[in-house]
Amino acid sequence: MPDVQALLEPRGIELTATHKSLSRTPAHALVLGVEKAGGTGRVVLPAGEQRRLSAVVEAAEVLRVGGAADEVTVLPAPSGLPFAVTVLTGLGALPEDGAARAEALRRAAGAAVRRLAGTDSAVLALPVASEQDAAAVAEGAAFGAFAFAHQRAATAGSVKAPLASAVVHAPDVARAALSRCLDRAAALGRGVRAARTLVDLSPNVVYPETVADYARQAAKGTKVSVSVLAEKDLAKGGYGGLLGVGQGSVHGPRLVKLEYSPARAAKHYAYVGKGITFDSGGLSLKPPASMMTMKSDMAGAAAVLAAVLTAAELGLPVKVTGWLCLAENLPSSTATRPGDVITIRGGRTVEVLNTDAEGRLVLADGLVAACEEAPDAVVDIATLTGAQMVALGTRTSGVMGDESLRTAVAEAARGAGEDAWPMPLPEHLRASLDSKVADLKNVGDKHGGMLVAGLFLREFVAGADGARVPWAHIDIAGPSFNESSPYGYTPAEGTGAGVRTLVRLLENAAADRG
């Protein structure tokens, strides 16, 4: 087993803020924003700094810096200021307020911080006019300061360390508000980076047992309790989905429960994450090219783990239980066969016609277990279907479920800066899941596959008394793993998708406690 403790990130980037003038805030780099205005860019300067930074404006005009999102230009710093370089980062057409403005600032800060990997310090003098602006800049820095080098040896030195410290220049924001922003951004950053690391690690290192061990180690010293069910416990509890999917691997399945239960909690939310640590498709074998990124099939569980730990670190007044449904889906003489009938926790039977539609089977067990505790709401998150990418692309998650909770999740995602879109659950597709030999089958109509998967999961959302529990499902198949070049604060490979949405949903629930 790998040294799990070595995977636990140190404190990460140091985030501070200042009201001082730029001349009194020394750092390696000064970061300024460039707003896109028509076909040109306009350097946005802090108040009172126009004279000292006039050379930067002139250089930007000569170089025709356009200000598009993700456009980063590095210049020598003007004389008389305590910086080695000036970094111009594109803001796009910066909105005046709202979530779109926050995301533009977040992305611009993240792009600059990524460019500054290998250096020690930067002052982020972006256009911060409010607490929301300051929070966005701090978050962008926290998300952009990420590097993965855990499994390199000879080339480890080629990976530049993330920017060590960032100072948010925010002279118009009260110090108390800045402190809140920085603490929250640091906590979110740690959660997002932890989720990315778990996704990036190879599947010979990350398998159900090691994820469970990681959860135990990460929760030490926090207010989160962790319990783990292994094979014997799963069999005793009737968790046929997890056992059926995991029985083809030498690495047995696990169900990890995390619980954060503060005193006088406003509400109780349950989060259920798909944790297929590697998905070969089982006996319904994927083509080789489709397997190469399947270490990412546990991104939902990674997001849930990070979200619960972040909620505890922030001290949110909401009880949250996280359920990590962990299995490795491999073909072998003991693997589930197409045509097998398995029994999900609670007694419902499923005819498994496609062993590559396995995520919904482990989630079914997790959803039943979560609903048995009668939470106020249950949300599952999963890299569930390729159909999500066909419908919404690689950066927008699909959200399904009960309308009010589906709307709340989509609004939380928007507020957190994550793309998500509400999708329907058409009743006419439900009949395609009917089985001739079991209560239902695990695949249905291939058209609208994302929606059919949501309808399957809906079958397992009920409390111990049979009453419906408010439920939503987030499909992050595309957004969880970036197979293209880095952009903004988003690296290649694991993105940490969903962590911010899940945390924001809890924050919104806490705000509505009255």
mmCIF file of all heavy atoms in Angstrom, residues 430-457:
data_model
loop_
_atom_site.group_PDB
_atom_site.id
_atom_site.type_symbol
_atom_site.label_atom_id
_atom_site.label_comp_id
_atom_site.label_asym_id
_atom_site.label_seq_id
_atom_site.Cartn_x
_atom_site.Cartn_y
_atom_site.Cartn_z
ATOM 1 N N ARG A 430 -38.693 6.133 -18.616
ATOM 2 C CA ARG A 430 -38.618 5.196 -17.491
ATOM 3 C C ARG A 430 -38.948 3.773 -17.913
ATOM 4 O O ARG A 430 -38.325 2.801 -17.421
ATOM 5 C CB ARG A 430 -39.551 5.648 -16.363
ATOM 6 C CG ARG A 430 -39.756 4.649 -15.231
ATOM 7 C CD ARG A 430 -38.457 4.260 -14.550
ATOM 8 N NE ARG A 430 -38.646 3.195 -13.573
ATOM 9 C CZ ARG A 430 -38.687 1.906 -13.853
ATOM 10 N NH1 ARG A 430 -38.544 1.487 -15.113
ATOM 11 N NH2 ARG A 430 -38.861 1.000 -12.896
ATOM 12 N N ALA A 431 -39.872 3.586 -18.814
ATOM 13 C CA ALA A 431 -40.286 2.238 -19.212
ATOM 14 C C ALA A 431 -39.145 1.445 -19.829
ATOM 15 O O ALA A 431 -39.141 0.208 -19.794
ATOM 16 C CB ALA A 431 -41.453 2.314 -20.185
ATOM 17 N N SER A 432 -38.143 2.136 -20.378
ATOM 18 C CA SER A 432 -37.025 1.425 -21.010
ATOM 19 C C SER A 432 -36.154 0.710 -19.988
ATOM 20 O O SER A 432 -35.298 -0.100 -20.371
ATOM 21 C CB SER A 432 -36.181 2.399 -21.834
ATOM 22 O OG SER A 432 -35.476 3.317 -21.014
ATOM 23 N N LEU A 433 -36.346 0.992 -18.705
ATOM 24 C CA LEU A 433 -35.597 0.319 -17.646
ATOM 25 C C LEU A 433 -36.323 -0.913 -17.091
ATOM 26 O O LEU A 433 -35.794 -1.599 -16.219
ATOM 27 C CB LEU A 433 -35.314 1.292 -16.498
ATOM 28 C CG LEU A 433 -34.317 2.415 -16.795
ATOM 29 C CD1 LEU A 433 -34.328 3.453 -15.677
ATOM 30 C CD2 LEU A 433 -32.916 1.855 -16.994
ATOM 31 N N ASP A 434 -37.516 -1.198 -17.593
ATOM 32 C CA ASP A 434 -38.240 -2.374 -17.124
ATOM 33 C C ASP A 434 -37.522 -3.649 -17.560
ATOM 34 O O ASP A 434 -37.028 -3.758 -18.681
ATOM 35 C CB ASP A 434 -39.669 -2.384 -17.682
ATOM 36 C CG ASP A 434 -40.541 -1.315 -17.042
ATOM 37 O OD1 ASP A 434 -40.182 -0.836 -15.947
ATOM 38 O OD2 ASP A 434 -41.569 -0.961 -17.642
ATOM 39 N N SER A 435 -37.457 -4.623 -16.652
ATOM 40 C CA SER A 435 -36.808 -5.895 -16.924
ATOM 41 C C SER A 435 -37.836 -7.015 -16.934
ATOM 42 O O SER A 435 -38.840 -6.957 -16.218
ATOM 43 C CB SER A 435 -35.747 -6.173 -15.856
ATOM 44 O OG SER A 435 -35.289 -7.506 -15.917
ATOM 45 N N LYS A 436 -37.561 -8.045 -17.717
ATOM 46 C CA LYS A 436 -38.448 -9.207 -17.754
ATOM 47 C C LYS A 436 -38.155 -10.173 -16.606
ATOM 48 O O LYS A 436 -38.971 -11.049 -16.311
ATOM 49 C CB LYS A 436 -38.313 -9.941 -19.095
ATOM 50 C CG LYS A 436 -38.766 -9.136 -20.301
ATOM 51 C CD LYS A 436 -38.619 -9.957 -21.584
ATOM 52 C CE LYS A 436 -39.174 -9.208 -22.792
ATOM 53 N NZ LYS A 436 -38.420 -7.979 -23.075
ATOM 54 N N VAL A 437 -36.991 -10.032 -15.949
ATOM 55 C CA VAL A 437 -36.611 -11.024 -14.945
ATOM 56 C C VAL A 437 -36.268 -10.413 -13.589
ATOM 57 O O VAL A 437 -36.017 -11.157 -12.632
ATOM 58 C CB VAL A 437 -35.405 -11.867 -15.431
ATOM 59 C CG1 VAL A 437 -35.764 -12.635 -16.691
ATOM 60 C CG2 VAL A 437 -34.190 -10.978 -15.674
ATOM 61 N N ALA A 438 -36.220 -9.082 -13.486
ATOM 62 C CA ALA A 438 -35.855 -8.424 -12.232
ATOM 63 C C ALA A 438 -36.710 -7.179 -12.060
ATOM 64 O O ALA A 438 -37.556 -6.858 -12.910
ATOM 65 C CB ALA A 438 -34.367 -8.069 -12.228
ATOM 66 N N ASP A 439 -36.490 -6.468 -10.964
ATOM 67 C CA ASP A 439 -37.272 -5.256 -10.722
ATOM 68 C C ASP A 439 -36.990 -4.184 -11.773
ATOM 69 O O ASP A 439 -37.876 -3.429 -12.146
ATOM 70 C CB ASP A 439 -36.969 -4.713 -9.326
ATOM 71 C CG ASP A 439 -37.458 -5.645 -8.234
ATOM 72 O OD1 ASP A 439 -38.509 -6.288 -8.425
ATOM 73 O OD2 ASP A 439 -36.797 -5.735 -7.186
ATOM 74 N N LEU A 440 -35.754 -4.110 -12.228
ATOM 75 C CA LEU A 440 -35.396 -3.217 -13.336
ATOM 76 C C LEU A 440 -34.036 -3.640 -13.862
ATOM 77 O O LEU A 440 -33.359 -4.487 -13.280
ATOM 78 C CB LEU A 440 -35.392 -1.749 -12.908
ATOM 79 C CG LEU A 440 -34.322 -1.205 -11.963
ATOM 80 C CD1 LEU A 440 -34.322 0.318 -12.015
ATOM 81 C CD2 LEU A 440 -34.593 -1.618 -10.520
ATOM 82 N N LYS A 441 -33.655 -3.087 -15.009
ATOM 83 C CA LYS A 441 -32.344 -3.373 -15.586
ATOM 84 C C LYS A 441 -31.490 -2.120 -15.520
ATOM 85 O O LYS A 441 -32.002 -1.014 -15.317
ATOM 86 C CB LYS A 441 -32.483 -3.881 -17.013
ATOM 87 C CG LYS A 441 -33.268 -2.980 -17.953
ATOM 88 C CD LYS A 441 -33.535 -3.670 -19.288
ATOM 89 C CE LYS A 441 -34.341 -2.777 -20.215
ATOM 90 N NZ LYS A 441 -34.645 -3.409 -21.515
ATOM 91 N N ASN A 442 -30.186 -2.302 -15.691
ATOM 92 C CA ASN A 442 -29.293 -1.173 -15.458
ATOM 93 C C ASN A 442 -29.058 -0.312 -16.686
ATOM 94 O O ASN A 442 -28.367 0.702 -16.599
ATOM 95 C CB ASN A 442 -27.953 -1.648 -14.872
ATOM 96 C CG ASN A 442 -27.039 -2.308 -15.888
ATOM 97 O OD1 ASN A 442 -27.516 -3.004 -16.795
ATOM 98 N ND2 ASN A 442 -25.738 -2.108 -15.745
ATOM 99 N N VAL A 443 -29.614 -0.670 -17.821
ATOM 100 C CA VAL A 443 -29.539 0.176 -19.011
ATOM 101 C C VAL A 443 -30.913 0.236 -19.659
ATOM 102 O O VAL A 443 -31.712 -0.692 -19.544
ATOM 103 C CB VAL A 443 -28.498 -0.331 -20.027
ATOM 104 C CG1 VAL A 443 -27.085 -0.126 -19.508
ATOM 105 C CG2 VAL A 443 -28.728 -1.788 -20.390
ATOM 106 N N GLY A 444 -31.153 1.351 -20.345
ATOM 107 C CA GLY A 444 -32.417 1.525 -21.044
ATOM 108 C C GLY A 444 -32.186 2.156 -22.397
ATOM 109 O O GLY A 444 -31.191 1.866 -23.071
ATOM 110 N N ASP A 445 -33.072 3.032 -22.787
ATOM 111 C CA ASP A 445 -32.989 3.689 -24.092
ATOM 112 C C ASP A 445 -31.637 4.382 -24.240
ATOM 113 O O ASP A 445 -31.218 5.152 -23.378
ATOM 114 C CB ASP A 445 -34.121 4.714 -24.202
ATOM 115 C CG ASP A 445 -34.381 5.140 -25.636
ATOM 116 O OD1 ASP A 445 -33.411 5.214 -26.408
ATOM 117 O OD2 ASP A 445 -35.543 5.407 -25.968
ATOM 118 N N LYS A 446 -30.925 4.109 -25.358
ATOM 119 C CA LYS A 446 -29.606 4.734 -25.553
ATOM 120 C C LYS A 446 -29.728 6.219 -25.868
ATOM 121 O O LYS A 446 -28.790 6.978 -25.646
ATOM 122 C CB LYS A 446 -28.848 4.029 -26.669
ATOM 123 C CG LYS A 446 -29.438 4.200 -28.064
ATOM 124 C CD LYS A 446 -28.575 3.506 -29.112
ATOM 125 C CE LYS A 446 -29.168 3.696 -30.508
ATOM 126 N NZ LYS A 446 -28.327 3.053 -31.551
ATOM 127 N N HIS A 447 -30.861 6.639 -26.390
ATOM 128 C CA HIS A 447 -31.077 8.060 -26.639
ATOM 129 C C HIS A 447 -31.495 8.720 -25.325
ATOM 130 O O HIS A 447 -32.395 8.262 -24.646
ATOM 131 C CB HIS A 447 -32.155 8.268 -27.709
ATOM 132 C CG HIS A 447 -31.814 7.635 -29.024
ATOM 133 N ND1 HIS A 447 -30.763 8.059 -29.780
ATOM 134 C CD2 HIS A 447 -32.378 6.597 -29.692
ATOM 135 C CE1 HIS A 447 -30.695 7.325 -30.886
ATOM 136 N NE2 HIS A 447 -31.656 6.421 -30.845
ATOM 137 N N GLY A 448 -30.796 9.818 -24.991
ATOM 138 C CA GLY A 448 -31.043 10.430 -23.681
ATOM 139 C C GLY A 448 -30.430 9.626 -22.557
ATOM 140 O O GLY A 448 -30.992 9.528 -21.465
ATOM 141 N N GLY A 449 -29.238 9.061 -22.803
ATOM 142 C CA GLY A 449 -28.620 8.172 -21.825
ATOM 143 C C GLY A 449 -28.355 8.829 -20.487
ATOM 144 O O GLY A 449 -28.439 8.170 -19.444
ATOM 145 N N MET A 450 -28.021 10.122 -20.470
ATOM 146 C CA MET A 450 -27.810 10.812 -19.203
ATOM 147 C C MET A 450 -29.099 10.854 -18.393
ATOM 148 O O MET A 450 -29.091 10.674 -17.167
ATOM 149 C CB MET A 450 -27.313 12.245 -19.464
ATOM 150 C CG MET A 450 -27.215 13.107 -18.219
ATOM 151 S SD MET A 450 -26.440 14.722 -18.476
ATOM 152 C CE MET A 450 -27.466 15.433 -19.752
ATOM 153 N N LEU A 451 -30.200 11.051 -19.060
ATOM 154 C CA LEU A 451 -31.494 11.154 -18.393
ATOM 155 C C LEU A 451 -31.980 9.785 -17.908
ATOM 156 O O LEU A 451 -32.544 9.662 -16.811
ATOM 157 C CB LEU A 451 -32.519 11.774 -19.345
ATOM 158 C CG LEU A 451 -32.055 13.013 -20.121
ATOM 159 C CD1 LEU A 451 -33.174 13.528 -21.002
ATOM 160 C CD2 LEU A 451 -31.567 14.091 -19.162
ATOM 161 N N VAL A 452 -31.721 8.748 -18.707
ATOM 162 C CA VAL A 452 -32.088 7.391 -18.305
ATOM 163 C C VAL A 452 -31.328 6.991 -17.039
ATOM 164 O O VAL A 452 -31.887 6.373 -16.124
ATOM 165 C CB VAL A 452 -31.817 6.399 -19.450
ATOM 166 C CG1 VAL A 452 -32.022 4.965 -18.982
ATOM 167 C CG2 VAL A 452 -32.727 6.689 -20.640
ATOM 168 N N ALA A 453 -30.051 7.358 -16.983
ATOM 169 C CA ALA A 453 -29.267 7.060 -15.784
ATOM 170 C C ALA A 453 -29.851 7.767 -14.563
ATOM 171 O O ALA A 453 -29.910 7.199 -13.465
ATOM 172 C CB ALA A 453 -27.817 7.477 -15.993
ATOM 173 N N GLY A 454 -30.282 9.006 -14.760
ATOM 174 C CA GLY A 454 -30.923 9.719 -13.661
ATOM 175 C C GLY A 454 -32.205 9.049 -13.210
ATOM 176 O O GLY A 454 -32.487 8.956 -12.009
ATOM 177 N N LEU A 455 -32.989 8.549 -14.155
ATOM 178 C CA LEU A 455 -34.229 7.853 -13.806
ATOM 179 C C LEU A 455 -33.941 6.569 -13.033
ATOM 180 O O LEU A 455 -34.685 6.205 -12.120
ATOM 181 C CB LEU A 455 -35.019 7.545 -15.081
ATOM 182 C CG LEU A 455 -35.687 8.755 -15.744
ATOM 183 C CD1 LEU A 455 -36.115 8.424 -17.163
ATOM 184 C CD2 LEU A 455 -36.888 9.218 -14.929
ATOM 185 N N PHE A 456 -32.854 5.875 -13.401
ATOM 186 C CA PHE A 456 -32.472 4.677 -12.645
ATOM 187 C C PHE A 456 -32.160 5.039 -11.198
ATOM 188 O O PHE A 456 -32.655 4.402 -10.261
ATOM 189 C CB PHE A 456 -31.247 4.037 -13.313
ATOM 190 C CG PHE A 456 -30.756 2.805 -12.599
ATOM 191 C CD1 PHE A 456 -31.209 1.546 -12.949
ATOM 192 C CD2 PHE A 456 -29.828 2.910 -11.570
ATOM 193 C CE1 PHE A 456 -30.757 0.414 -12.279
ATOM 194 C CE2 PHE A 456 -29.371 1.787 -10.890
ATOM 195 C CZ PHE A 456 -29.840 0.540 -11.251
ATOM 196 N N LEU A 457 -31.367 6.079 -10.986
ATOM 197 C CA LEU A 457 -31.000 6.469 -9.629
ATOM 198 C C LEU A 457 -32.218 6.881 -8.814
ATOM 199 O O LEU A 457 -32.278 6.632 -7.604
ATOM 200 C CB LEU A 457 -29.981 7.608 -9.672
ATOM 201 C CG LEU A 457 -28.622 7.268 -10.275
ATOM 202 C CD1 LEU A 457 -27.758 8.518 -10.361
ATOM 203 C CD2 LEU A 457 -27.923 6.186 -9.474
#
